């Protein structure tokens, strides 16, 4: 190795250097400057990041369950609002405005020339045809009727494109108006000027309607009326950390922000604190009154007419009082008492008038005038005036006709009677005018729920959702202890949006053959609720009308008997016209043969349903074993095998009894726990939700006769343990065990798997839909109202044990009603933990091992690694 040489000059220089230690002051300056610079840099960076963050309107839902994010179905609904509202606008123009124009055109007639008389022996008088429309009016009328019929046919499709239809409708109206304008100048020479002006007005009306549709800009507004202040009203819901007023306020505000953000400008939102900001509340009332107050002008006219009537009444009373005081003294005791009673009546007039005037002044003096309240005060006064003035006029006539009445008094009475008769007539006329006032529904709804509610303002109507609907507690489920309310704001707002943008009122009709109502409580039931009450109420809460009809007529006779006995018979059953456009829900129960012999109408359930389907109606059919098969459903590719019941091998009890009653029920052969519902719009969102069915009728599918019909099998019957369709039903009813019967003579005595419990069929375009489920009880109170006791005990929350049952029924109704965007999971079902039913046991065990063992081992390994690296 070569020897290293050291430069002596370097060594000498290094020795000359003196290393002096830093003083404390020097260290303060050096490290202090570093810290100060670091602080400045961090503050600058924080400010820059904050500026960037605030310059962009970005929202991120960090809740585990996505509580503040709109579900995909809601987002689809919001994105479809433009189309829905344009369709609604077209429908309104067709149903309300076009008939007015057509009626105006039909009034533009001219007398037709009489038909020349026949000659010969059989000669008759010349025939006089009915008046004919002037040429331009006839052509325009016929064109409008054709446009209306064609557009109505297009609107029947479930997936109609609103913008496309609105543009086409607008173009058709513009074309009709243009053609009528040309005909007006070319064909109407010599036509009566008045009728020519009528045609010009009709053409302008059509042009105006075309502009309405063309320039229509769909816009909705949602207002949260929650207060941050704690008061008695906003504590109706059980106390909880999440139920503090300021938390609720923010929760609603965040939800409304999501609607506005996802709508792309179609929905504007606002939060109004009624307690802390009353001026904004008053402004909202005025906005609602201005937007929906079509009847406000009628109320103002009535109140103006009332002021005129009051002046007339006051003038008449003062004049009569002066004349009474000027009469000579009456010595007859009877006549003296009569005049005294007249004076008392005048005093009553004045007292009542003062009271009403004060009431009207108070109602109209509010920052938001209460026209309906003022009108009610006026109505009360007019009733009094009508009665008293009529009575006074009658007594004046009676006393004046008495020969013993002095001349001066008689003349006073003769002159006064017509005046009070005039007052009576004025009051009567004004009362008649008030019968046509209508109501101020939207303002009243808002007034009744002006705090802790959500107001959704549509084009033609307003819907207010009260707090008990936003924060729901299931009143149908009884439980001890504290139960937390669930936030149902999204479901309620989305339901209101569907209702406010729909072209017609949504209706379902439960059609039965005999027996009391299934969804409406009645006195004769002995206090028990009807079996479908919970699900019917859920539909009513979503603003869907629920009708009921007994096609056998039996219930109508029983209701009549109840009424004769002084008992309330319940609501009247709907007529055929009301049922025509409703979705039918048809539970097929076993029929008593003797009853069917006595009442043939009891056996008409199948024919009535067949007729409803032939006429283009939609329906949900629920089957019970050993009932009518309804073979006409085969046209839709669906067959209910009512001679079979789905069963599985009996499961023997092992170990301790389960705390979950569902597992005890499941051991019975006809009972199935459902977790998979099939691949269909109705059922995809239900995957992994627990469902419960028993006495299931297998539903088979085949190729429909109509090629435009698409059929889908739903609700596969679980095959573990082994399942089949049992034909020998009687042993099951006796609680005896049954076994699968193998093939005999090439045929199965029992049905082999796979089996399905339901099917859905739809005609092309979604204009007509059919849902068939081989079970009735799945939608009953007993199953949809059963709580999950384990969740209640461990978490203090009330959730359904079998959420799949209620969701299957509700989603089916949405689909049949063509409310597809509403098909989703309700707030109650969102609280249920779900595991993919397709996950194998091996995969589940791997995940379980990773969570329980893997994570702790990873932490231990990381700590060991760090220790090994730093042990020096």
């Amino acid at each position: 190795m070569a020897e290293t040489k050291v430069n002596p000059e370097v060594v000498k220089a290094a020795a000359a250097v003196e290393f002096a230690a830093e003083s404390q002051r020097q260290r303060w300056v050096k490290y202090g400057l570093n810290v100060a610079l670091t602080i400045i840099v961090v503050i600058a960076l924080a400010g820059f990041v904050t500026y960037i963050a605030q310059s962009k309107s970005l929202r991120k839902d960090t809740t585990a369950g996505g509580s503040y994010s709109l579900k995909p179905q809601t987002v689809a609904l919001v994105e479809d609002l433009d189309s829905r509202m344009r369709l609604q606008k077209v429908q309104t123009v067709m149903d309300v405005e076009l008939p007015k124009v057509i009626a105006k055109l039909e009034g533009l007639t001219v007398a037709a020339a009489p038909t020349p008389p026949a000659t010969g022996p059989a000669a008759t008088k010349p025939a006089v045809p009915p008046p004919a429309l002037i040429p331009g009016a006839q052509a325009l009328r016929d064109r409008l009727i054709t446009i209306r019929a064609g557009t109505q046919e297009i609107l029947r499709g479930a997936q109609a494109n609103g913008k496309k239809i609105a543009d086409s409708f607008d173009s058709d109206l513009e074309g009709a108006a243009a053609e009528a304008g040309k005909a007006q100048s070319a064909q109407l020479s010599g036509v009566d000027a008045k009728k020519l002006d009528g045609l010009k007005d009709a053409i302008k009306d059509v042009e105006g309607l075309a502009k309405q549709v063309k320039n229509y800009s769909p816009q909705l507004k949602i207002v949260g009326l929650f207060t941050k202040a704690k008061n008695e009203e906003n504590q109706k819901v059980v106390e909880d950390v999440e139920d503090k007023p300021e938390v609720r306020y923010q929760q609603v505000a965040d939800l409304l922000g999501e609607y506005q953000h996802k709508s792309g400008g179609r929905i504007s939102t606002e939060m109004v604190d009624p307690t802390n900001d009353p001026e904004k509340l008053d402004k909202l009332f005025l906005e609602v009154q201005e937007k929906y107050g079509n009847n406000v002008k009628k109320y103002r006219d009535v109140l103006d007419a009332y002021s005129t009537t009051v002046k007339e009444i006051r003038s008449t009373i003062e004049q009569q009082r002066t004349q009474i005081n000027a009469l000579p003294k009456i010595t007859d005791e009877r006549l003296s008492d009569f005049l005294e009673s007249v004076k008392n009546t005048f005093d009553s007039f004045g007292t009542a008038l003062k009271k009403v005037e004060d009431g009207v002044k108070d109602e109209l003096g509010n920052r938001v005038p209460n026209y309906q309240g003022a009108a009610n005060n006026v109505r009360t006064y007019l009733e009094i005036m009508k009665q008293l003035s009529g009575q006074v006029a009658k007594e004046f006539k009676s006393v004046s006709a008495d020969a013993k009445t002095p001349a001066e008094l008689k003349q006073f009475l003769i002159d006064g009677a017509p005046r009070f008769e005039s007052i009576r007539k004025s009051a009567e006329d004004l009362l008649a005018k008030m019968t046509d006032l209508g109501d101020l529904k939207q303002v009243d709804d808002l007034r009744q729920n002006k705090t802790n509610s959500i107001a959704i303002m549509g084009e033609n109507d307003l819907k207010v959702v009260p707090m008990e609907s936003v924060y729901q507690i299931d009143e149908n489920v009884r439980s001890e202890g504290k139960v937390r309310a669930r936030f149902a704001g999204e479901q309620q707002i989305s339901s209101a949006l569907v209702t406010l943008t729909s072209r017609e009122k949504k209706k379902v009709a439960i059609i039965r053959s005999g027996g009391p109502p299934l969804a409406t409580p009645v006195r004769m039931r002995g206090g028990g609720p009807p079996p479908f009450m919970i699900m019917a109420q859920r539909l009513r809460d979503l603003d869907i009308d629920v009708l009921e009809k007994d096609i056998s007529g039996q219930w109508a006779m029983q209701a009549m008997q109840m009424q004769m006995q002084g008992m309330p018979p319940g609501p009247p059953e709907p007529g055929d016209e009301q049922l025509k456009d409703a979705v039918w829900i048809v539970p097929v129960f076993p029929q008593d043969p003797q009853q069917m012999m006595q009442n043939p109408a009891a056996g008409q359930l199948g024919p009535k349903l067949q007729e409803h389907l032939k006429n283009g109606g939609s329906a949900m059919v629920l089957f019970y074993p050993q009932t009518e098969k309804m073979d006409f459903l085969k046209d839709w590719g669906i067959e209910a095998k009512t001679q079979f019941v789905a069963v599985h091998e009996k499961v023997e009890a092992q170990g301790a009894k389960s705390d979950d009653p569902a597992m005890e029920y499941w051991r019975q052969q006809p009972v199935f726990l459902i977790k998979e519902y099939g691949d269909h719009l109705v059922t995809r969102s239900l995957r992994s939700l627990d469902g419960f069915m028993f006495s299931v009728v297998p539903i088979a599918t085949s190729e429909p006769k109509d090629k435009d019909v698409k059929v889908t099998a739903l609700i596969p019957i679980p095959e573990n343990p082994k399942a089949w369709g049992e034909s020998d039903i009687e042993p099951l009813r006796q609680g005896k065990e049954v076994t699968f019967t193998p093939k005999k003579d090439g045929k199965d005595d029992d049905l082999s798997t796979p089996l399905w419990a339901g099917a859905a069929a739809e005609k092309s375009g979604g204009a007509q839909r059919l849902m068939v489920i081989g079970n009735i009880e799945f939608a009953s109170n007993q199953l949809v109202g059963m709580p999950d006791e384990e969740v209640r005990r461990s978490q203090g929350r009330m959730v359904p044990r079998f959420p799949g049952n209620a969701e299957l029924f509700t989603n089916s109704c949405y689909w049949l009603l063509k409310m597809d965007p509403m098909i989703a999971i309700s707030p109650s079902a969102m609280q249920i933990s779900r595991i993919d039913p397709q996950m194998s046991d091996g995969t589940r065990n791997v995940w379980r091992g990773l969570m329980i063992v893997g994570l702790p081992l990873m932490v231990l390994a990381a700590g060991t690694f760090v220790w090994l690296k730093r042990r020096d």
Side-chain angles (χ1 to χ4, degrees):
M1 178 181 290
E3 182 179 354
T4 303
K5 295 183 178 180
V6 179
N7 191 331
E9 295 297 327
V10 174
V11 173
K12 184 178 179 181
V17 175
E18 295 184 2
F19 291 94
E22 287 184 339
S23 66
Q24 188 178 34
R25 181 178 181 82
Q26 289 174 322
R27 288 197 299 273
W28 282 355
V29 171
K30 182 172 70 174
Y31 293 112
L33 287 174
N34 287 339
V35 171
L37 181 61
T38 302
I39 292 172
I40 292 172
V41 171
V42 169
I43 292 175
L45 285 174
F48 178 72
V49 170
T50 302
Y51 169 77
I52 295 297
Q54 291 182 343
S55 65
K56 301 292 183 181
S57 180
L58 299 176
R59 297 169 57 85
K60 177 65 177 176
D61 184 1
T62 58
T63 60
S67 303
Y68 303 104
S69 298
L70 300 184
K71 291 190 282 292
Q73 293 85 349
T74 302
V75 174
L77 167 64
V78 170
E79 291 174 347
D80 191 47
L81 283 177
D82 184 89
S83 176
R84 292 176 62 86
M85 294 185 72
R86 289 184 188 279
L87 291 176
Q88 186 186 44
K89 182 67 175 178
V90 170
Q91 190 76 55
T92 301
V93 170
M94 288 201 309
D95 292 346
V96 179
E97 304 299 335
L98 270 186
K100 295 178 183 177
V101 178
I102 292 171
K104 181 184 290 187
L105 291 169
E106 289 175 343
L108 303 176
T109 59
V110 292
T115 303
T119 58
T124 59
K125 292 183 178 180
V128 180
L133 297 183
I134 59 178
Q138 179 72 49
L140 180 57
R141 170 188 171 276
D142 293 346
R143 181 73 187 278
L144 293 180
I145 290 175
T146 302
I147 291 171
R148 189 166 182 255
T151 306
Q152 189 65 55
E153 187 64 30
I154 296 172
L155 287 173
R156 287 177 183 160
Q159 307 299 329
N161 184 307
K163 188 175 188 312
K164 185 176 179 181
I165 292 176
D167 290 345
S168 175
F169 185 63
D170 160 57
S171 176
D172 288 343
L173 291 179
E174 288 180 340
E179 287 181 13
K182 293 177 183 177
Q184 168 189 310
S185 56
Q187 301 178 17
L188 299 181
S189 56
V191 174
D192 180 71
K194 203 170 185 181
K195 292 182 178 178
L196 183 58
D197 290 340
L199 178 57
K200 290 179 181 178
D201 289 342
I203 294 172
K204 287 181 181 178
D205 290 342
V206 175
E207 291 172 344
L209 294 178
K211 287 181 181 178
Q212 279 187 37
V213 176
K214 186 174 185 177
N215 300 330
Y216 177 61
S217 177
Q219 187 69 33
L220 289 157
K221 184 174 182 179
I222 308 175
V223 182
L225 293 163
F226 276 75
T227 179
K228 297 178 183 178
K230 185 174 181 178
N231 55 44
E232 182 179 351
E233 185 177 356
N234 63 21
Q235 294 302 306
K236 289 179 182 177
V237 189
V238 294
E239 282 289 346
D240 199 307
V241 174
E242 295 181 6
D243 294 321
K244 290 182 178 179
E246 60 271 23
V247 174
R248 293 198 206 105
Y249 180 95
Q250 191 59 50
Q251 197 171 28
V252 172
D254 288 342
L255 178 64
L256 299 196
E258 278 291 292
Y259 274 97
Q260 179 167 322
H261 177 67
K262 292 292 196 302
S263 71
R266 301 178 190 87
I267 299 176
S268 61
T269 63
E270 182 181 11
M271 288 299 295
V272 175
D273 188 331
T275 303
N276 298 322
D277 200 350
E279 291 184 359
K280 288 181 73 175
L281 180 63
D282 293 339
K283 184 179 177 182
L284 174 64
F285 268 100
L286 291 172
E287 181 182 352
V288 170
Q289 185 172 281
E290 182 72 23
K291 185 175 180 66
Y292 307 109
N294 295 329
N295 293 324
V296 168
K297 185 178 184 305
K298 291 182 180 179
Y299 277 89
R300 287 173 177 163
D301 291 344
V302 164
L303 293 173
D304 289 343
Y306 162 73
S307 299
T308 303
T309 303
V310 164
K311 291 178 183 177
E312 177 189 348
I313 293 172
R314 184 176 280 121
S315 173
T316 300
I317 291 174
E318 290 302 320
Q319 184 181 24
Q320 293 295 295
R321 194 190 298 277
T322 301
Q323 292 181 2
I324 286 179
N325 293 333
L327 289 172
K329 187 175 181 180
I330 304 297
T331 56
D332 187 290
E333 184 176 353
R334 180 179 62 84
L335 293 177
S336 179
D337 291 343
F338 165 72
L339 287 179
E340 193 63 33
S341 68
V342 170
K343 291 179 181 180
N344 292 336
T345 301
F346 291 167
D347 292 339
S348 298
F349 280 176
T351 303
L353 180 59
K354 178 69 169 63
K355 185 177 180 180
V356 171
E357 284 184 325
D358 290 344
V360 171
K361 186 177 180 181
D362 289 342
E363 298 292 359
L364 297 182
N366 294 326
R367 284 182 290 189
V368 180
N370 184 2
Y371 290 105
Q372 197 159 6
N376 289 338
N377 276 291
V378 169
R379 185 180 284 107
T380 301
Y381 176 69
L382 291 175
E383 291 286 358
I384 295 173
M385 289 298 101
K386 176 184 171 183
Q387 181 180 355
L388 290 181
S389 57
Q391 182 180 345
V392 169
K394 184 177 179 181
E395 291 182 358
F396 273 27
K397 291 177 181 178
S398 176
V399 176
S400 65
D402 191 341
K404 297 180 180 179
T405 303
E408 297 87 343
L409 178 57
K410 181 177 291 191
Q411 191 59 46
F412 164 74
L413 297 174
I414 291 173
D415 293 341
R419 292 171 182 163
F420 284 99
E421 189 62 37
S422 175
I423 291 176
R424 186 197 64 78
K425 184 67 168 57
S426 297
E428 198 172 58
D429 292 344
L430 195 49
L431 282 170
K433 190 175 182 180
M434 294 183 76
T435 58
D436 190 36
L437 279 179
D439 57 13
L440 301 175
K441 174 183 173 293
Q442 293 84 6
V443 177
D444 288 341
D445 286 349
L446 187 60
R447 199 185 304 276
Q448 292 169 14
N449 298 282
K450 63 183 178 182
T451 59
N452 298 305
S453 61
I454 299 175
I456 303 95
M457 301 171 63
E459 179 72 19
N460 304 315
D461 200 1
L462 170 142
K463 184 172 176 60
V464 184
V465 183
M467 187 170 73
E468 50 267 29
S469 295
V470 178
Y471 290 90
Q472 295 182 352
I473 294 179
D474 193 347
E475 298 294 341
N476 297 304
V477 178
R478 296 287 179 259
S479 176
E480 297 179 1
K482 180 176 168 182
V483 178
R484 291 172 58 186
R486 61 175 180 265
F487 183 54
E490 180 180 347
Q491 183 187 31
Q492 293 293 323
I493 292 175
S494 296
S495 174
L497 291 177
V498 170
T499 300
L500 293 172
T501 58
S502 292
R503 292 179 284 121
E504 67 266 333
K505 181 74 171 178
K506 301 297 184 181
K507 296 186 294 186
V508 299
I510 301 176
I511 309 297
R512 65 191 192 281
S513 181
L518 300 174
T520 307
V522 291
R523 181 74 61 87
M524 69 172 293
R525 194 181 289 276
F532 294 155
M533 185 184 71
I534 294 179
M535 293 315 305
Q537 189 57 47
R538 178 181 284 201
L539 295 179
R540 293 184 183 110
D541 290 342
L542 298 170
D543 208 27
I544 298 170
D545 281 349
V546 180
L547 311 174
E548 292 201 66
K549 177 74 171 181
D550 174 15
I551 56 103
S552 73
Q554 175 189 354
W555 178 249
M557 291 186 291
Q558 291 178 343
M560 189 180 300
Q561 293 173 0
M562 290 169 61
Q563 193 168 13
M564 292 174 62
Q565 295 170 8
M567 298 172 62
E573 292 194 328
D576 292 341
E577 194 63 29
Q578 292 174 277
L579 297 176
K580 186 171 60 175
D581 57 348
V583 166
W584 284 21
I585 299 176
V586 185
V588 187
F589 289 103
Q591 291 290 314
D592 182 356
Q594 184 176 359
Q595 181 185 0
M596 292 179 65
M597 289 179 63
Q598 296 173 352
N599 182 13
Q604 292 299 304
L605 190 61
K608 289 285 187 182
L609 174 60
Q610 185 177 15
E611 181 184 0
H612 176 68
L613 295 174
K614 279 185 176 179
N615 292 332
S618 297
M620 182 196 309
V621 191
L622 311 177
F623 279 99
Y624 194 85
Q626 294 186 323
T627 55
E628 183 181 356
K629 296 181 67 174
M630 298 190 179
D631 288 333
F632 59 86
L633 295 178
K634 292 180 181 178
D635 295 345
W636 291 76
I638 298 175
E639 180 183 4
K641 296 185 175 292
T642 58
Q643 71 272 34
F644 296 96
V645 172
V647 297
H648 60 72
E649 290 181 337
K650 190 169 184 179
V651 180
E652 299 297 336
Q654 296 178 355
K657 184 177 180 180
S658 173
D659 292 334
D660 185 358
M663 299 309 296
E664 297 298 320
Y665 298 146
W666 173 66
R667 295 193 178 103
Q668 304 303 314
Q669 288 189 279
V671 175
F672 289 90
L673 298 183
I674 308 294
K675 282 185 175 291
E676 182 63 30
Y677 299 84
D679 185 19
H680 189 269
L681 178 62
V682 170
T683 56
R684 288 181 197 125
S685 59
L686 308 184
R687 192 178 187 188
S688 301
L689 285 180
D690 280 349
F692 186 101
M693 290 187 180
F694 63 93
S695 297
V696 177
V697 172
I699 304 297
T701 58
S702 59
E703 188 68 26
K705 288 184 178 180
D706 189 342
K707 298 302 180 183
D708 289 336
V709 173
K710 178 184 178 182
V711 63
T712 305
L714 303 177
I715 319 173
I717 298 296
E719 298 185 34
N720 185 19
K722 180 183 177 181
W724 68 91
E726 178 61 46
S727 59
D728 192 4
I729 298 177
E730 193 57 35
L732 289 172
R733 291 176 174 166
Q734 299 173 9
K736 297 179 181 179
E737 184 177 352
V738 295
T739 58
F740 178 69
T741 304
K743 289 184 178 181
K744 290 181 180 180
D745 301 326
K747 296 182 179 179
D748 280 344
D749 187 44
D750 292 333
L751 285 179
S752 301
T753 53
L755 300 176
W756 302 80
E762 178 180 16
K763 285 198 173 181
S764 180
Q768 192 176 6
R769 293 172 172 179
L770 175 66
M771 175 71 66
V772 177
I773 298 176
N775 191 243
I776 292 179
E777 289 86 352
F778 86 95
S780 66
N781 300 340
Q782 177 185 4
L783 294 180
V784 300
M786 182 182 294
D788 190 322
E789 291 298 331
E790 177 59 31
V791 174
R792 185 190 65 80
R793 285 194 300 267
S794 61
Q795 303 178 30
R797 295 185 296 119
M798 186 62 69
V799 299
R801 175 63 185 87
F802 303 113
N805 289 39
E807 302 305 311
L808 174 62
F809 183 87
T810 306
N811 284 1
S812 296
C813 289
Y814 282 145
W815 181 69
L816 292 167
L817 290 163
K818 303 181 181 68
M819 298 169 67
D820 296 6
M822 290 298 294
I823 295 176
I825 297 299
S826 69
S828 60
M830 289 289 286
Q831 300 181 66
I832 309 299
S833 299
R834 297 195 282 175
I835 299 176
D836 188 349
Q838 301 300 319
M839 185 182 292
S840 66
D841 291 339
T843 305
R844 191 177 293 109
N845 288 332
V846 169
W847 280 107
R848 185 180 290 117
L850 285 174
M851 296 297 104
I852 298 174
V853 180
L855 288 179
L857 285 177
M858 290 171 64
V859 172
L860 181 60
T864 302
F865 176 77
V866 171
W867 178 76
L868 289 173
K869 294 293 290 182
R870 299 181 60 183
R871 62 179 177 172
D872 292 340

